Amino acid sequence: MAIPIAVLDCDLLLYGRGHRTLDRFKLEDVTDEYLVSTYGFPRQFIYYLVDLLGASLSRPTQRSRAISPETQILAALGFYTSGSFQTRMGDAIGISQASMSRCVANVTEALVERATQFIHFPGDEATVQSLKDDFYGLAGMPGVLGVVDCIHVAIKAPNAEDLSYVNRKGLHSLNCLMVCDARGVLLSAETHWPGSLPDCMVLQQAALTSQFETELHKDGWLLGDSSFSLRTWLMTPLPIPETPAEYRYNMAHSATHNVIERTFRTIRSRFRCLDGSKGTLQYSPEKSSHIILACCVLHNISLEHGLDVWCSPATGHMEQPEEEYEQMESMDSEACRIRQELLLTHFS
């Protein structure tokens, strides 16, 4: 005689039906040292993220065991800072690898929705002047509103026919245009550009260019390296300095522009999902772009919370492709006049 076997739903027995939230992991049960080593951030920072993102992460669900915002944030931070969906990470907070992936997607979108709240140029005159003063204090370069550069982040190949994401090194990547202030706070981040586009073409098509040519400050400029063209709002190095004033200008320009290189190193060191050491981002270009932007938002929030120690270079496999570019004199006579006036006024 066959004996019927009842398959029991353990979740149902333990938690019942309905939109119940299961707290798989308690922040108060572990030390700050554990949180920093495993998830990259201390307890108070994680509590802040729960308050910030909680409403977005508590959406209605038909699942009997909804994952709490706290657990979702820990899962996402674990991925951002380690670059891995390793089973041990899911085991630590009591969720599967598939749930880890969903948590990363949810937290990423919640952070992207708040990108303009945390990544923007200052609007009031006092803050703009403070921005300029901070840059001037670095190497004596006046009028600087930000330093701009591009960084490549490796992604999986979208498909065999799409070569637009193949960069100069033959790797698939996104070319991300960013601007930061003297502390490394990001003021602009465009993370969606295909890796095949050189930096100068990215800037030419970027929203940043439209902002500075139509809206932003007329009494200051960004600093960019020689991969960009000289503009009235973008000061670049002189290709062949000859006079003492030109050498001083280039030295001040280089010392000031170095801030963004340090910022890139910090971001890659803190968010190992971007540095290539665990492989490429295994997402579509659009989703990869959102993950990069989410890390940029977290970078700025961490600086707001005093987590602003400059980090050492990350040891990833995906380094910034070196551009081979020919320095060309700008055809913009007004931009040339502004740079010459800057030389005469401040470096002669």
Side-chain angles (χ1 to χ4, degrees), residues 320-335:
Q320 173 78 3
E322 294 182 6
E323 298 277 354
E324 292 182 7
Y325 44 79
E326 179 182 353
Q327 177 70 50
M328 298 177 63
E329 282 302 306
S330 174
M331 299 303 292
D332 187 334
S333 59
E334 179 63 12

Side-chain angles (χ1 to χ4, degrees), residues 119 121 146-153 174-181 184-193 202-203 206 208 222-224 228 234 257 260-261 263-264 267-268 274 289 291-297 299-300:
I119 303 175
F121 283 91
V147 289
V148 59
D149 208 346
C150 289
I151 183 173
H152 285 255
V153 176
L174 290 168
N175 195 3
C176 307
L177 179 73
M178 300 187 192
V179 179
C180 75
D181 70 10
V185 175
L186 295 173
L187 306 175
S188 177
E190 299 184 37
T191 60
H192 62 283
W193 297 102
V202 168
L203 182 63
L208 178 69
L222 302 179
L223 297 187
F228 301 115
L234 177 65
H257 188 265
I260 199 162
E261 299 301 330
T263 299
F264 287 161
I267 291 172
R268 274 189 159 155
L274 307 182
S289 169
I291 287 173
I292 300 167
L293 185 55
C295 290
C296 290
V297 173
H299 168 76
N300 275 11

Side-chain angles (χ1 to χ4, degrees), residues 63-127:
R63 299 174 61 213
S64 60
R65 300 175 67 195
I67 301 176
S68 69
E70 181 178 289
T71 301
Q72 293 183 61
I73 288 168
L74 288 171
L77 291 179
F79 169 71
Y80 297 147
T81 58
S82 73
S84 174
F85 281 128
Q86 293 179 3
T87 303
R88 64 177 181 80
M89 182 68 71
D91 290 344
I93 52 179
I95 61 176
S96 66
Q97 182 171 318
S99 293
M100 280 277 295
S101 182
R102 287 193 296 272
C103 291
V104 170
N106 292 342
V107 174
T108 295
E109 291 311 304
L111 288 167
V112 168
E113 287 171 2
R114 292 159 176 79
T116 56
Q117 177 183 346
F118 293 100
I119 303 175
H120 57 81
F121 283 91
D124 62 283
E125 291 185 8
T127 308

